[in-house]
Amino acid sequence: DGGITQSPKYLFRKEGQNVTLSCEQNLNHDAMYWYRQDPGQGLRLIYYSQIVNDFQKGDIAEGYSVSREKKESFPLTVTSAQKNPTAFYLCASSMAGFGSPLHFGNGTRLTVT
Amino acid sequence: AQKVTQAQTEISVVEKEDVTLDCVYETRDTTYYLFWYKQPPSGELVFLIRRNSFDEQNEISGRYSWNFQKSTSSFNFTITASQVVDSAVYFCALIIDYAGGTSYGKLTFGQGTILTVHP
């Protein structure tokens, strides 16, 4: 079955620690994205990548970093510089082209205390 | 800047009732796509429909129907004869053509509407 796998589903970290969220897709999609979801705020774009070894900042990139070394993988690191890291993080992918629907993973819920 | 407003934060209905989820958008661009996604309790967003700005035809898919009206900048979603399995958060989203066809993925989402269907 083709799809997007995010791991782990739940993640707990202490304040001041960096943490990396995994995202793998086997849909052969060129583009991948990271969104953050907070209660009552919809989804906000953190980073996106259209091709391997290239990525762009979204609307709320501060305190986050990404890499795109392989087409299938787009890990997100939440650094200690992110002021409010506790949130639900969703990874997505899409085919190239304007208006291509996004396919989402199951998400990772990160709690930082 | 673009904006999507889903004024209904939560809706509660009894099974078999019809329910309409409202979506109003703002953009100065003439070329854009609108989407509806469903987020069940499991967390992933499931794509339901895409509509481009040049196609105002309404669409029906089983119990689901969508009404796109450019005159009122609305893209409303109706579920007919609702079922408990329809309980989820529903998001409306918009993408504009930032750069000649290369702006895929930069969706603007509404805040979502929580739909609860009671048996």
Side-chain angles (χ1 to χ4, degrees):
Chain A
D1 266 347
I4 300 176
T5 302
Q6 290 188 242
S7 60
K9 190 166 181 63
Y10 299 96
L11 195 51
F12 298 89
R13 280 294 182 271
K14 294 290 188 185
E15 197 172 318
Q17 293 179 336
N18 292 354
V19 60
T20 298
L21 282 58
S22 169
C23 177
E24 304 277 333
Q25 56 101 357
N26 60 4
L27 298 167
N28 200 32
H29 285 167
D30 291 305
M32 296 188 74
Y33 317 84
W34 276 104
Y35 281 87
R36 170 179 171 142
Q37 184 177 11
D38 296 283
Q41 292 196 42
L43 278 72
R44 292 179 290 169
L45 182 64
I46 304 172
Y47 268 99
Y48 66 103
S49 167
Q50 298 177 359
I51 56 172
V52 174
N53 293 322
D54 186 52
F55 46 83
Q56 288 78 40
K57 293 181 179 180
D59 300 320
I60 56 166
E62 185 175 349
Y64 299 97
S65 65
V66 294
S67 63
R68 186 88 187 274
E69 296 177 2
K70 298 186 301 182
K71 186 176 184 178
E72 303 79 21
S73 179
F74 192 41
L76 173 74
T77 296
V78 184
T79 75
S80 56
Q82 167 49 233
K83 297 284 188 282
N84 297 296
T86 294
F88 188 54
Y89 291 88
L90 284 155
C91 179
S93 69
S94 75
M95 293 168 50
F98 172 56
S100 295
L102 270 61
H103 297 258
F104 285 84
N106 285 353
T108 292
R109 189 166 298 279
L110 173 64
T111 302
V112 177
T113 58
Chain B
Q2 298 71 241
K3 187 177 180 181
V4 175
T5 302
Q6 296 179 250
Q8 304 148 310
T9 305
E10 292 190 52
I11 300 176
S12 182
V13 299
V14 177
E15 211 168 18
K16 298 184 183 176
E17 281 186 41
D18 297 347
V19 57
T20 295
L21 309 181
D22 297 332
C23 173
V24 173
Y25 63 94
E26 296 175 29
T27 180
R28 293 182 179 178
D29 289 73
T30 58
T31 304
Y32 53 88
Y33 276 94
L34 293 161
F35 299 82
W36 275 97
Y37 283 88
K38 173 182 180 181
Q39 185 178 39
S42 54
E44 85 280 15
L45 270 73
V46 178
F47 166 69
L48 296 178
I49 190 171
R50 175 184 68 174
R51 174 67 70 227
N52 75 52
S53 53
F54 300 107
D55 181 4
E56 286 193 74
Q57 280 192 346
N58 293 328
E59 182 155 339
I60 298 174
S61 176
R63 296 184 297 107
Y64 294 171
S65 62
W66 291 269
N67 184 345
F68 176 32
Q69 292 194 346
K70 288 177 73 171
S71 60
T72 56
S73 297
S74 65
F75 186 42
N76 296 338
F77 172 30
T78 297
I79 302 174
T80 303
S82 60
Q83 299 177 2
V84 172
V85 292
D86 295 326
S87 297
V89 184
Y90 290 87
F91 289 97
C92 181
L94 164 74
I95 184 171
I96 67 169
D97 191 6
Y98 289 90
T102 64
S103 58
Y104 50 90
K106 294 183 72 175
L107 291 167
T108 298
F109 282 86
Q111 297 93 325
T113 297
I114 302 170
L115 174 65
T116 303
V117 181
H118 299 281

